[in-house]
Amino acid sequence: YYTRSIPCSPAHCCNDVPVSLPPAGTQFQYLVVEKKGAKQNVGVIQLNRPKALNALCDGLMNEMNQALDFFEKDPDVGAIVITGSEKAFAAGADIKEMQNRTFQECYGGSFLAHWNRVSLVRKPVIAAVNGYAPRMFLGKYCTMVNFCVIVSASSRQTQMPVLTGNCGSLNILFMQRANGKCLSQSSRINSIQTLAPSLQLWLWSFLGVESAYSEAEKKKDRPWGSEGGGGIRAYPLQPPAVSTPSPLP
Ligand SMILES: C[C@@H](CO)C(=O)SCCNC(=O)CCNC(=O)[C@H](O)C(C)(C)COP(=O)(O)OP(=O)(O)OC[C@H]1O[C@@H](n2cnc3c(N)ncnc32)[C@H](O)[C@@H]1OP(=O)(O)O
């Protein structure tokens, strides 16, 4: 396949180089890639490296970028979900692959630069997290979930508290879900004003469907997620007033 380092919009290719998409039914080694939903408009990328708990080796991330290219350019696909297995979303970077690399190799070779592709997709990318997701919310170069627009973490998500408020700048929301309810959330929403209005409204309507302000939080009268300093209020019914958004970069 042709893979690009600079992603293009779904509507056109920024450098006019034709892109050959993975043909339907393409087998990936580390991923299961398919379209789901009644309208087949959700692109689902499931990490499929069970023996290594979905550790993000180079091969997996290269395949991920191919799948993202594929879904970004597919006009039928409205949103993309990245998920793992019941035991692990992903065990972070592949530490076996990393262990012998020198600083010079990493720095000079732009180590992990290709991970950024996820954050550049011009469609909402949702990380559906279950099981292990170590280092999910710490630092800037975290596991891939930090590059997704929404992180929907099930109650089985382990190891890390969801409400750290210390996520990468591209994360908009963390949602911990159980029984279909949104129990908690945290975010750094600075960048929300730079998103297209339709995406903002989409986010808020997503919340509206899922939100259930917990009794405990109501009593405390504080925003969900405020523990981490980056919390926001839940808006179960109405989206907040949207100020004039800045144009997309
Ligand atoms: C880029 C930065 C961002 O800050 C990083 O992502 S650094 C990497 C961060 N990730 C980790 O440090 C996680 C390391 N893994 C673990 O701590 C544990 O595996 C665990 C997630 C807590 C699960 O433990 P458990 O006892 O259930 O499973 P095993 O340790 O026996 O693992 C099973 C199998 O998977 C291999 N594996 C696990 N994590 C990784 C990894 N990150 N990279 C490569 N391989 C990994 C592990 O070696 C086992 O395989 P085996 O050796 O038996 O062939």
Side-chain angles (χ1 to χ4, degrees):
Y1 311 123
Y2 172 78
T3 51
R4 61 179 79 259
S5 53
I6 303 170
C8 298
S9 78
H12 72 284
C13 180
C14 57
N15 54 9
D16 290 333
V17 175
V19 178
S20 66
L21 299 174
T26 298
Q27 294 296 309
F28 290 88
Q29 186 179 351
Y30 302 112
L31 305 176
V32 177
V33 179
E34 53 192 339
K35 290 201 270 185
K36 286 194 175 175
K39 295 180 181 170
Q40 293 285 288
N41 59 357
V42 181
V44 178
I45 302 173
Q46 181 171 16
L47 311 184
N48 185 31
R49 202 187 168 207
K51 286 184 183 162
L53 302 181
N54 295 330
L56 306 170
C57 62
D58 271 347
L60 186 152
M61 291 308 289
N62 287 333
E63 287 188 359
M64 170 69 63
N65 291 349
Q66 287 171 15
L68 292 169
D69 279 345
F70 178 44
F71 286 141
E72 185 174 56
K73 291 194 75 73
D74 186 332
D76 295 335
V77 170
I80 299 167
V81 175
I82 300 176
T83 192
S85 66
E86 192 171 346
K87 180 166 183 186
F89 175 79
D94 189 314
I95 47 185
K96 292 178 185 168
E97 214 173 59
M98 285 162 66
Q99 65 184 338
N100 294 323
R101 289 189 181 162
T102 62
F103 170 80
Q104 284 85 352
E105 281 167 2
C106 291
Y107 187 72
S110 299
F111 181 56
L112 300 189
H114 58 314
W115 285 29
N116 289 345
R117 175 67 181 96
V118 184
S119 69
L120 298 170
V121 175
R122 289 179 171 85
K123 292 181 181 177
V125 181
I126 299 166
V129 179
N130 213 12
Y132 289 115
R135 319 250 344 227
M136 187 164 147
F137 303 122
L138 296 174
K140 193 158 184 192
Y141 256 108
C142 295
T143 48
M144 185 168 34
V145 294
N146 250 27
F147 298 117
C148 296
V149 173
I150 294 179
V151 178
S152 171
S154 81
S155 56
R156 297 175 65 93
Q157 187 266 326
T158 52
Q159 278 222 326
M160 290 291 161
V162 168
L163 301 177
T164 67
N166 184 22
C167 48
S169 58
L170 287 156
N171 258 113
I172 305 301
L173 296 171
F174 292 149
M175 302 172 70
Q176 190 174 30
R177 297 166 62 179
N179 304 324
K181 304 280 187 191
C182 171
L183 299 179
S184 58
Q185 63 191 47
S186 174
S187 83
R188 276 173 53 148
I189 55 170
N190 301 350
S191 54
I192 200 166
Q193 294 300 334
T194 67
L195 294 170
S198 58
L199 180 53
Q200 291 185 44
L201 291 175
W202 183 83
L203 284 167
W204 294 119
S205 74
F206 186 84
L207 265 180
V209 172
E210 300 284 345
S211 293
Y213 210 163
S214 78
E215 288 305 311
E217 289 298 304
K218 267 189 208 166
K219 280 182 197 146
K220 287 181 210 156
D221 191 26
R222 65 182 188 193
W224 289 351
S226 56
E227 292 92 333
I232 56 167
R233 278 202 177 277
Y235 296 93
L237 298 173
Q238 291 237 316
V242 176
S243 59
T244 310
S246 320
L248 282 170

